[in-house]
Amino acid sequence: MNYSLRLMAIFAILGVGFGPAFAESASPLSGRSSSTSATVEPTTQQRVERWTKAKWNEAKKELAMDKEKWSACQAKSDQQHLQGRKSWSFLYTCVKG
């Protein structure tokens, strides 16, 4: 066998042998991850922060029924200077937790 044929045979073997390994290592770079195909559920905090004002007002009525917890959680929210949707998620998890 001459030198160029040997070289071509070596490249052919290496190309077949390492092709799948290179393809697998390239997939994370493409932005897709085959190992994490399951969707990630949003946290309670993320869900509450996306609520409408009407939905929050409904939930607030239910949460405020436990007056002691509601007052304590409101005080904690005020201490942390939380406002708007950040306070909603804090108050919801504080009262429910």
Side-chain angles (χ1 to χ4, degrees):
M1 222 188 229
N2 71 24
Y3 181 73
S4 62
L5 286 176
R6 283 187 199 164
L7 206 61
M8 288 170 53
I10 290 171
F11 285 128
I13 292 169
L14 290 176
V16 171
F18 291 110
F22 288 133
E24 288 176 8
S25 67
S27 68
L29 297 177
S30 67
R32 288 197 263 161
S33 179
S34 59
S35 62
T36 57
S37 60
T39 58
V40 177
E41 292 292 320
T43 63
T44 301
Q45 179 180 2
Q46 292 168 332
R47 283 191 310 250
V48 173
E49 286 179 3
R50 292 186 205 135
W51 283 357
T52 63
K53 199 168 198 173
K55 183 161 179 154
W56 168 244
N57 287 333
E58 288 177 30
K60 187 167 59 169
K61 288 177 188 176
E62 180 187 324
L63 296 172
M65 288 181 173
D66 187 349
K67 295 179 192 302
E68 289 180 28
K69 266 190 173 180
W70 178 253
S71 295
C73 291
Q74 275 189 316
K76 288 178 188 177
S77 177
D78 290 343
Q79 288 172 350
Q80 295 179 22
H81 304 288
L82 298 176
Q83 295 179 342
R85 295 180 191 281
K86 294 288 182 186
S87 69
W88 296 1
S89 60
F90 176 81
L91 289 167
Y92 184 85
T93 54
C94 180
V95 174
K96 288 288 190 174

